[in-house]
Amino acid sequence: MLTKLLSRPLPPPPAPKPVLTSSPARPPAPTLQNTAVRAFQGTSGFEPARLAKPFFPPLPPLPPQPPGDLGKLINPRHAAVEEALAKGGTVPFTNTDGKTEQVSITPVPVPFGNHDIYAVRVGDDTFTVSIERGGDVDAADVLTQVIDSYSETPEDLRGSLERVVIKKDPDPDDAAARAGDGTITFYDGEANVTADIFHHEIGHLIGRQVEDANDTWVSGHFERLWGEPPPIPDGWAEAAAADGNHLNDYTEDSFNDSGVYTEDFAEAWSEYMRALDGGPEALAEFERMYPERSEILEDIYPPPA
């Protein structure tokens, strides 16, 4: 048998690949699956193969967890939330960045309505989480993810969030989540409560907070008369135009439809947070792709030295 195998002729070598003689002056922006809204592209942004954004290096995985409730208890963040719910006091919560904050969770008695409401304190900041009853939602799961993502948000920008609402049904317009007036609303139970979507939506709130902080007395007066501008920092539109690219198909479609960079800033904030989690190489790649946007983002939230 071995003799027969050795006597077979070898296959011909593959043809050489053509050599490229030129390349674009600026590489195009990567096509990343938008994690916040599904309506523009008409396909689900939550297909299992598209959950991860491949542009940045993957985050280090958590240690293997046992299945079921035992796995949740061993997860230290989930265990901290369970303890806070059980004892009603303050517990240490160490987020995925390794930062520890004091957290308390207090159920709010609601004599009427169809929501379970929790008052959440992370460090010195508070917000509420309202979970619509009747859906497939584990309150501890939702609270763990929301607190983990919120605790990654810069402390001076946390005041932009006042409440989180979890709706049990999908959004009629097929949105995964929406944000405005201090509120982030997630649809379809806990399915869309992820770090990427949270950061995108709080990016909308942060954009408004920063835009308001940029106002002068004159501009604020005109805004009261003519309405507020898009919730993006001063200079963002010029920075995005100077970068000459879009973050993904969704932000490009949104800009083409509206002429404003509202979704661009929210998605850039989410990607910037992901780049920070990915380490120096991921951050350097983000800065290379979006140099002008990066200057504004790093002014809002400087990366660690």
Side-chain angles (χ1 to χ4, degrees):
M1 184 67 179
L2 178 61
T3 304
K4 291 182 179 179
L5 290 175
L6 292 175
S7 65
R8 292 180 181 177
L10 295 176
K17 296 182 179 179
V19 177
L20 297 178
T21 58
S22 64
S23 60
R26 182 189 296 274
T31 300
L32 305 180
Q33 175 63 37
N34 173 60
T35 55
V37 181
R38 295 175 282 180
F40 270 90
Q41 299 184 49
T43 58
S44 171
F46 302 96
E47 297 168 3
R50 292 186 173 190
L51 277 172
K53 296 184 176 180
F55 179 53
F56 297 121
L59 300 181
L62 289 171
Q65 301 293 327
D69 292 338
L70 180 58
K72 293 178 181 179
L73 290 174
I74 292 177
N75 180 324
R77 292 177 294 281
H78 200 281
V81 167
E82 293 278 14
E83 182 183 357
L85 286 168
K87 66 186 287 190
T90 301
V91 300
F93 182 100
T94 302
N95 68 15
T96 51
D97 289 342
K99 179 182 179 181
T100 300
E101 302 228 33
Q102 298 302 310
V103 169
S104 67
I105 306 169
T106 306
V108 178
V110 182
F112 53 85
N114 64 338
H115 286 73
D116 294 319
I117 300 177
Y118 303 87
V120 179
R121 176 179 290 275
V122 179
D124 295 327
D125 303 288
T126 59
F127 59 95
T128 62
V129 176
S130 176
I131 302 175
E132 188 175 16
R133 298 169 185 157
D136 185 17
V137 178
D138 184 308
D141 287 352
V142 167
L143 290 164
T144 299
Q145 183 59 71
V146 168
I147 291 171
D148 189 35
S149 299
Y150 180 83
S151 64
E152 292 184 303
T153 304
E155 293 183 19
D156 59 334
L157 298 175
R158 293 180 183 179
S160 62
L161 179 67
E162 299 173 9
R163 64 191 67 85
V164 174
V165 178
I166 311 296
K167 294 286 190 181
K168 63 183 180 67
D169 295 322
D171 176 66
D173 294 325
D174 207 25
R178 299 182 187 276
D181 296 327
T183 301
I184 296 175
T185 302
F186 292 93
Y187 297 93
D188 201 14
E190 65 180 272
N192 299 323
V193 184
T194 68
D196 283 339
I197 297 176
F198 181 94
H199 290 312
H200 177 105
E201 298 303 329
I202 203 170
H204 284 303
L205 304 183
I206 289 171
R208 173 59 66 205
Q209 180 178 344
V210 174
E211 190 280 323
D212 287 344
N214 292 153
D215 284 346
T216 63
W217 182 89
V218 174
S219 63
H221 177 72
F222 279 105
E223 286 179 14
R224 287 188 291 273
L225 291 175
W226 304 106
E228 289 190 300
I232 58 178
D234 284 356
W236 185 264
E238 293 79 6
D243 284 342
N245 52 26
H246 295 277
L247 283 94
N248 52 41
D249 291 343
Y250 168 68
T251 59
E252 182 174 10
D253 290 343
S254 175
F255 175 75
N256 290 338
D257 285 351
S258 65
V260 296
Y261 286 96
T262 299
E263 295 300 328
D264 184 276
F265 176 75
E267 190 70 354
W269 179 264
S270 177
E271 290 297 334
Y272 179 59
M273 295 295 288
R274 186 174 178 84
L276 289 173
D277 284 344
E281 290 184 5
L283 182 60
E285 182 65 10
F286 182 89
E287 293 169 344
R288 184 186 70 82
M289 293 299 302
Y290 313 112
E292 300 299 322
R293 291 179 180 94
S294 292
E295 285 193 16
I296 296 176
L297 290 169
E298 291 174 7
D299 185 57
I300 297 172
Y301 184 17

